[in-house]
Amino acid sequence: MKEVSTGDLLHAFPKIKITKLYRRRQSFILLVLLQGFSMHVFAQQTIKGLVKDESGNALPGVTVTVKGQPIITKTDLDGTYSIKVPALKSVLVFTSVGFGEREVVVNDWNPVQVALKGKASALNDVVVVGYGKNTRELLTTSISKLDTKVLENIPYANATSALQGSIAGLRVQTGSGQPGDAPRVILRGGTSINNPNGATPLYIIDGITRANMNDIAADDIESLQVLKDAAATSIYGSRGSDGVIIITTKTGKAGKTVISYSYDLTLSKKGHTMEYADTKDYIEQARLSVVAIAKKNPAAISKLQDKTGYGTGNDLSNSTPYTTQYLTAANQHKLNEGWESMPDPVDPTKTIIYKSTNFADLLYRTAISNNHYLSVSGGTEKATFNIGAGYLTSEGVAISTDYKRLTLNMNGSLKVSNNVEVTGRILYASTNNAAAASLANTFYRGTSLPGSTKYAFEDGTIAPGQNSSIGNPDYFLKGPYAQQGANSYDNISISLASHVNILPGLTFDPQVSMYKARSDRYDFIPTSMRNGVGTLVTSRIATSSYAKTTQYEASGVLNYKKTFARVHNLSVKAGGSYFKRQNYGFNATGQGASTDLIPTLNASATATLVNGSVSDLVIEGLFSGIDYNYDGRYILSVTTRYDGSSNLGEEHKLGFFPGVSVGWNMHKEKFWSVVPGFISNFKLRASYGVNGKTSGLGDFQAQGDYSVSTSGVANAYAGNAAIISNIIPNPNLKWEQSQTKDIGFDLGLFNRRINFMFDYYDRVTKDLLTSVSLPASTGFSTVLTNLGSLGNKGVEIDLSAALLSPSSALQWTVGFNYGTVKSKILKLPFNGVANNRIGGVLVYDPSVKDYRYLGGLQEGGKVGDYYAYKQIGIYATDEEAAKGPKDMVIGLTDKTKYGGDAAFLDVDNNGIIDDRDRIYLGNPNPTWNGGFSNTLEYKNLFFIIRTDFTGGHTIYNYPAVFADGQLQGDALPTKEYLAKAWKKQGDITDAPRYLWQNQQQNFRPQSSYYQKGDFLCIREVTLGYSLPAKLLERFKIKGIRLNLTGNNLYYFTAYKGNVPEDAETVMDNGHYPIPRNFIFGAKISF
Amino acid sequence: MKRLYKFFFLLFLVPVSCSKHLDVEPTSAITNNSFWKTENDATGALYGMYFKLLKESNTGNFYYLGEARSEIMTSSIGGTNGYERYYQQSLSPTTPGPNWIGLYSIINAANLILKHVPDINFVNPANKNAILAQAYTMRAYIYFVLVRTWGDVPLRLEPIEEYDPVTVQFGKSSAQDVFKQIKNDLAEAIKSFPDNNIPSGRYIWSLPGANALKADVYLWTGKQQGGGNADFTIALSALNAVQTADVQLLPKFSDIFEYTNKGNKEVIMVIKSLLIESGDNFYANMYLQTTNIPSNVTQGTKDTIGVGGGQNIWSPTAAVRAQFTSDDQRKFGTFYEIQRTTNPSYYATLAMKGRGTISGGLRFFVNDVVIYRYADILLMKAEAKNALSQDPTAEMNLVRQRAYGTNFPAHQFVNGSQAANDDAILKERLLELMLEGKRWWDEVRFNKAFELVPALNVRPGDKNFLLFPIGSDVLSLEPKVTQNTGW
């Protein structure tokens, strides 16, 4: 690969055009420079200044006029203005909706700074848009801004979590309680048919493109906005279709240097987890279940004497993994050592003894986390700086899991001259973590280890449980037999930016940046009984890996702003951007070390895997935008972008992405006076835009792939390197294109104490970059292609209200947001099948009284629908079961069903249960979500309660099926199930009998384990107190703020598994439970 | 100022010229444009084809298709894993046998070689011919598997190198046409192999391998496609040709399969597995997990089992085990019965042909999977001779001599009627080749499936059971493919 040279960067811009202009117009550039440095010539008549609100926030959009003169201007987004004043003693008039008017007499030519009475309202809020800023009042696109209050009280190990329930239309699902893990973020349902969970937004952090916002300290975040509709994101063109999240980090402000330090102490306990049956109940029911299956399979009766959790083939030696055994003279002393006894339910004349251990309890702990953050910031009118340093250590509630993070945010700005400001930024993060190697093994297999398993052998050494996949957590997760290793991850972004005032109203903003993220890790599996008691596995597998992403970006934006005839406000921008990314990776695995002393590769005798790769991507684009408004009343905004991407098909590398939006501030019309007074403002807005996406597309996928390795392992046959045709080339691959229509309104009531935003969107994504299933006889399962189209529609509501009068000492603000999404597959490529269906299941469809293929991908359908059997009851008796339909799903020749077996719905009513009797049982993708928050402030006290909710998704609770169906053959069922399971003839219940290894297929994928995931979570409850300023003055302390916070306190949900938030695509396959956090936080500033 | 607007206007409209920056060359990937240029590419692709064969074999698909539906296997202590649909004959379109995608993936690899390798310059043209010959043999072998399994199947002879939603769909060709293609491919292959050597290791196709396959094919078409004596004669001469190669019977039966004795002279074509490289093969489901080794067995039994590994999902039935006499060295070479010291004593049976090797305290199932070996050649020859009313005694006795050693005189073969000989040959194939993935096809070829397989015994009318149903998962993606009659 080549390094980026200046020449390369310049190529990204249309320099030819500039050159031509330069030649024709004497010296345009020179003129620009001269203008820049000779501004003071005109300054004698110009007054500059700053307008703020009472609390010191800069006020944009304030009208400034010279009394009695046709001179008018408005304050900028940073609250500054400049106005030509004809003479001293002129009067400046400052007006803004919602604020008191102010007049100031100009006595000298010094800057005039004023404060207007009233508080900045939502309308004056400055919103960061693509390559610029705007006020809420003039915004015509759908952009949500995060209320940064949600960042204040919880020391997020991953700040992405703060978005949960905070932004209408943004689905944020926490699927894991592992500290540092990112929740899933999907905007407006995403734009993918194949991988609905992979449609992640584009993140722009201080102008630098990133794949996520992991490892950013919440304390470093100044503002976060989510660009939702295509008109807002089309300026990001090819990567904007799943939404754009723009984050700016904190910078210094002119004024006194502020030093502040904050500390949070968090105690975490596991949240909801599945509870498993007691040892005694397990032994009893499992033994009876063996007798039950012996009815069909007489040989199975011998299982009673196997060395299993319920079998009596165990002894006190080190060669059996369980304690369960018959009481004998030789072992009866164990009853004095905490062992328990019970009569054998199969032969009550015999006594079984066992030692009970709760292995699930061994997995969890009370975890402690610490978060420190120190910031120093300040500056003068000429230069500002900010340094923020954070250190977080976060323990997971599961043993041996944690996350540590060191962050540094350093930036400074210098006004080189009146017209040139230079900014440099460094954002750095270094993390390492320890996470569960396998979610399934740790969070539902290991926890279902029978309680009768030996925790330790007779000699006191720790025992492994069944094996590493369903093992003793203390054996496999900590101590000498646990997998060892370490990892580190760090990323740094360095950027240089400049802001140049070329002419009045004309500015230029260039930025160059480099982003590097690298990670390394090593792992080692020491000698251990990974395959169960008996054999020590000595292969001592060691792995090492290194990965690096390097990214260079350059962009430049020209901006011109001008007001004509006092009412025509025009702003034009144009620019270009260049993006180059290289991924580099290396990893190796070895084994056969002679010792456990060295956990790294150098001890390995044999290399079993080596792998390395380099891959590049280039994206470049040109963009432009025009914003026009007539007196703030009628607003028009147009943006366009051309993008080119190196990973697309030869003839399809370029794409054009336009966006247009309009708005009408009706409250500025004269007729508004007839509207009842309590309606303070009303804006109608509408937008349309197109944007694209290539995510999921490999860098060279379009050209096909002959691969030399599979999942990182070299392809080889008998020691000969093997090359296989792996990906079919598709030179026709092009941009996936989303078209979004959005209409909405912003409404303010009661002098804007209540602000209401509404959006309706309709997004159609065409030419989806999607893997289409191929006929099996091609030898390929899929090919990536531009396939069909997907429609998402929905509404979003965002409400904020100050319920009490501004004069009240008690302040109560309420925030509510809600978003829905309805997805539909609109079109698929023609393949000769009804609805151009791909995949699906053949089932009986009562609506057409015939067999049809449902599910899969088909026009008019949804992505991901579940089809499974409907359990309609449990046969109370053998006689009742005999009358039921014949069940073909039972794998044995003898299909007889008995009392306690599940009765399934015979959809086609043909007297036979087979897989055509499956019905629709839901969909894994949520369709609605939102949040509700309350903040109460009284003097120095504040109280916050924040909830969020998500619904419409169904989760296949496989961990419960695994346990209750005894799929593994020797694992604990859940406590709730075993209590209500059918046990004897005549029992009326809704839970089938307990049987070894699902012999009667009662636990086939069936309705009782497809559970609704709808939930409401009490996400945050905070009680806080700021010490009175007067008290602190004596100690030269600016402020002290204390808070007590509860986080993830409770989920209201019907889902019985560990985490109700994440259905994944097929099933719950193990989730780290979400911890309940109790936080004490303190912040002190000087 | 007006000029300034013009400038912006131009920026607004100027399209990005097709920049050279967007032409990024791959570093770590091979694209279709860069491949199929050199002899090395051809060799890499050739081993790619075998790599796919190995992957397909490891899944057990060849075993499921070739033997799982016979009377050999039944459920064991490790659950059933869905295998009951084979030995209980409960296959259906919704619970079908293996998907054919893996088989067609091998065919596609062969098709790519056959299309591109002729255009590549080789220093030694013999190497090129050897590669083409192997691709022809492989394609013939896989289509032979397909046609015996499903009858009429899509006959794809061109590689998939682009995607078109309409032309990518293929209908079925008749079994007759598929056999015609198989025979043509074998003729091409036999013509192209440069010599009669079996390359060291014996894990790639060679002329003797192609001839063995040819005999197998012609025996099948002779019996199942009405080819009669003409086909048996061709089969017999192909087998005679195999005998001119460097092959022999190993004196010790179990040596054929030992991990340490790979590439021995009895084998003609194997799918080679290597520790670390290859991963476990399907024999893993015929052994025994450590945790399932019973505590109440003798030390001798424990020693025989050794390190546990895999799962005992299925094992040979009592009826089949009973057909081995204790003086037959093939008995212990094929399976081992675990007896407990308590009542009931029988626990499970382990497959000894595929028990792999131990490394680092773990058992790895990396035995080579035999496609053809010399004993099979001898028994096919006995079969061809008997079909042509010739005396098969010589071949039968060669096989039995090795099996019974000093006890051979008690087990001598005596020529009988054609039908009795066929029965003896089929039984000999069971004793010799059990667990090698051949039994179901043998029974179908001899027209004995309904007689010998207990689960078919009870449903004599269901002739559709001679083929596999095509899975509804396959049908749902292949609208032009129709289900086999009766399913």
Side-chain angles (χ1 to χ4, degrees), chain A residues 122 136 139 141 143-145 168 685 744-747 755-759 796-800:
Chain A
R136 179 61 74 188
L139 200 62
T141 54
I143 296 178
S144 290
K145 187 170 176 179
R685 51 192 165 75
F745 62 82
D746 303 345
L747 171 69
N755 287 293
F756 185 73
M757 278 194 281
F758 173 86
D759 279 279
E796 286 157 10
I797 293 167
D798 202 317
L799 174 78
S800 65

Side-chain angles (χ1 to χ4, degrees), chain A residues 656-925:
Chain A
F656 175 63
F657 307 101
V660 57
S661 58
V662 292
W664 179 22
N665 272 323
M666 289 169 73
H667 54 276
K668 297 210 163 181
E669 298 287 354
K670 285 197 178 110
F671 66 73
W672 193 255
S673 54
V674 304
V675 171
F678 70 89
I679 303 180
S680 7
N681 62 291
F682 186 76
K683 177 171 68 188
L684 266 181
R685 51 192 165 75
S687 77
Y688 171 79
V690 179
N691 44 28
K693 191 170 80 169
T694 59
S695 75
L697 176 63
D699 290 346
F700 302 101
Q701 201 162 3
Q703 302 176 46
D705 181 41
Y706 278 88
S707 73
V708 291
S709 63
T710 306
S711 316
V713 181
N715 296 336
Y717 179 69
N720 303 289
I723 301 173
I724 57 171
S725 170
N726 189 36
I727 296 172
I728 306 171
N730 189 349
N732 296 319
L733 283 180
K734 57 187 175 192
W735 300 102
E736 178 176 315
Q737 221 187 52
S738 280
Q739 302 177 358
T740 312
K741 290 172 223 152
D742 190 301
I743 55 172
F745 62 82
D746 303 345
L747 171 69
L749 300 173
F750 302 109
N751 208 15
R752 297 179 182 175
R753 272 170 46 203
I754 297 175
N755 287 293
F756 185 73
M757 278 194 281
F758 173 86
D759 279 279
Y760 167 80
Y761 65 90
D762 181 349
R763 174 166 65 189
V764 174
T765 308
K766 289 181 180 165
D767 301 328
L768 287 158
L769 270 174
T770 298
S771 296
V772 54
S773 297
L774 288 174
S777 65
T778 58
F780 291 91
S781 52
T782 58
V783 62
L784 194 76
T785 181
N786 293 97
L787 164 158
S789 62
L790 175 75
N792 290 335
K793 289 177 189 179
V795 294
E796 286 157 10
I797 293 167
D798 202 317
L799 174 78
S800 65
L803 293 183
L804 302 174
S805 139
S807 55
S808 159
L810 177 67
Q811 281 296 310
W812 181 9
T813 50
V814 170
F816 176 77
N817 70 75
Y818 178 69
T820 66
V821 60
K822 202 171 173 184
S823 299
K824 193 163 136 185
I825 299 167
L826 301 175
K827 218 168 155 24
L828 292 171
F830 176 78
N831 66 2
V833 184
N835 298 327
N836 294 319
R837 176 184 49 79
I838 299 163
V841 291
L842 183 66
V843 296
Y844 186 77
D845 181 354
S847 70
V848 295
K849 297 196 166 53
D850 201 357
Y851 299 99
R852 274 176 65 191
Y853 276 97
L854 297 177
L857 297 177
Q858 47 184 307
E859 288 172 6
K862 300 197 295 287
V863 180
D865 284 354
Y866 296 129
Y867 282 84
Y869 298 89
K870 165 103 180 134
Q871 179 187 302
I872 51 171
I874 302 300
Y875 294 120
T877 61
D878 292 351
E879 296 74 45
E880 201 184 308
K883 288 184 216 143
K886 187 176 183 189
D887 194 338
M888 302 306 291
V889 184
I890 294 175
L892 310 164
T893 323
D894 180 357
K895 313 276 185 209
T896 318
K897 296 187 82 153
Y898 301 99
D901 287 337
F904 295 103
L905 181 65
D906 184 10
V907 184
D908 54 8
N909 219 0
N910 65 350
I912 290 171
I913 300 290
D914 58 22
D915 60 5
R916 296 175 302 181
D917 291 307
R918 289 176 290 176
I919 62 162
Y920 172 73
L921 280 174
N923 188 288
N925 301 311

Side-chain angles (χ1 to χ4, degrees), chain A residues 8 11 14 18 21 25 28 302-303 305-307 313 466-467 506 531-533 535-539 558 560 564 572 574 606 608 613-614 616 618 620 622 624 640 642 644-646 653-654 700 703-706 708 715-725 728-729 772-781 783 785 830-831 833 837-839 853 891-893 915 996-997, chain B residues 1 3-5 7-8 11-16 19 21-33 35-36 44-45 47-48 50-52 54 77-79 84 88 94 99-101 104-105 108 112 154 156 160-163 165-166 168-169 203-204 270-272 274 276-277 289-291 293 295-296 307 340 342-344 347 359-362 472 474 476-479:
Chain A
D8 282 335
H11 264 102
I18 295 174
L21 210 69
R25 310 310 327 156
F28 172 76
S302 69
K303 291 186 174 304
Q305 44 164 300
D306 282 350
K307 47 170 193 179
Q466 235 176 86
N467 54 48
L506 178 65
N531 284 5
V533 299
T535 335
L536 274 180
V537 176
T538 57
S539 43
L558 275 167
Y560 181 69
F564 302 91
V572 184
T606 319
T608 55
S613 69
V614 171
D616 299 88
V618 170
E620 51 186 20
L622 277 186
S624 64
T640 61
Y642 281 102
S645 184
S646 65
K653 287 187 173 169
L654 302 179
F700 302 101
Q703 302 176 46
D705 181 41
Y706 278 88
V708 291
N715 296 336
Y717 179 69
N720 303 289
I723 301 173
I724 57 171
S725 170
I728 306 171
V772 54
S773 297
L774 288 174
S777 65
T778 58
F780 291 91
S781 52
V783 62
T785 181
F830 176 78
N831 66 2
V833 184
R837 176 184 49 79
I838 299 163
Y853 276 97
L892 310 164
T893 323
D915 60 5
W996 176 78
Q997 273 210 344
Chain B
M1 273 302 160
R3 277 151 213 147
L4 203 58
Y5 302 146
F7 170 69
F8 275 113
L11 265 186
F12 194 70
L13 286 183
V14 65
V16 184
S19 164
H21 298 280
L22 298 180
D23 295 328
V24 176
E25 290 297 319
T27 308
S28 302
I30 303 169
T31 64
N32 279 49
N33 292 335
F35 201 57
W36 296 117
Y47 288 116
Y50 287 108
F51 173 75
K52 286 180 180 247
L54 170 71
I77 54 155
E84 70 282 359
Q88 292 179 354
T94 50
N99 189 315
W100 62 32
I101 184 168
Y104 275 102
S105 173
N108 193 59
L112 280 164
R156 291 184 185 261
I160 310 283
E161 290 183 285
E162 57 177 18
Y163 169 64
V166 178
V168 78
Q169 299 292 350
Y203 51 78
I204 59 174
V270 298
I271 302 171
K272 177 146 179 162
L274 275 180
I276 297 166
E277 175 187 286
Q289 205 182 357
T290 306
T291 49
I293 299 172
S295 45
N296 44 2
V307 173
R340 284 183 294 206
T342 50
N343 193 38
Y347 183 69
S359 169
L362 292 171
S472 51
V474 169
S476 83
L477 294 169
E478 307 217 31

Side-chain angles (χ1 to χ4, degrees), chain A residues 198-221:
Chain A
T200 54
L202 176 72
Y203 291 84
I204 307 282
I205 300 174
D206 292 331
I208 298 170
T209 308
R210 289 216 201 169
N212 55 54
M213 54 179 281
N214 299 348
D215 309 315
I216 298 271
D219 292 294
D220 281 329
I221 296 175

Side-chain angles (χ1 to χ4, degrees), chain B residues 202-218:
Chain B
R202 306 190 171 217
Y203 51 78
I204 59 174
W205 288 108
S206 58
L207 183 55
N211 273 320
L213 174 60
K214 183 179 176 183
D216 207 353
V217 169
Y218 278 87

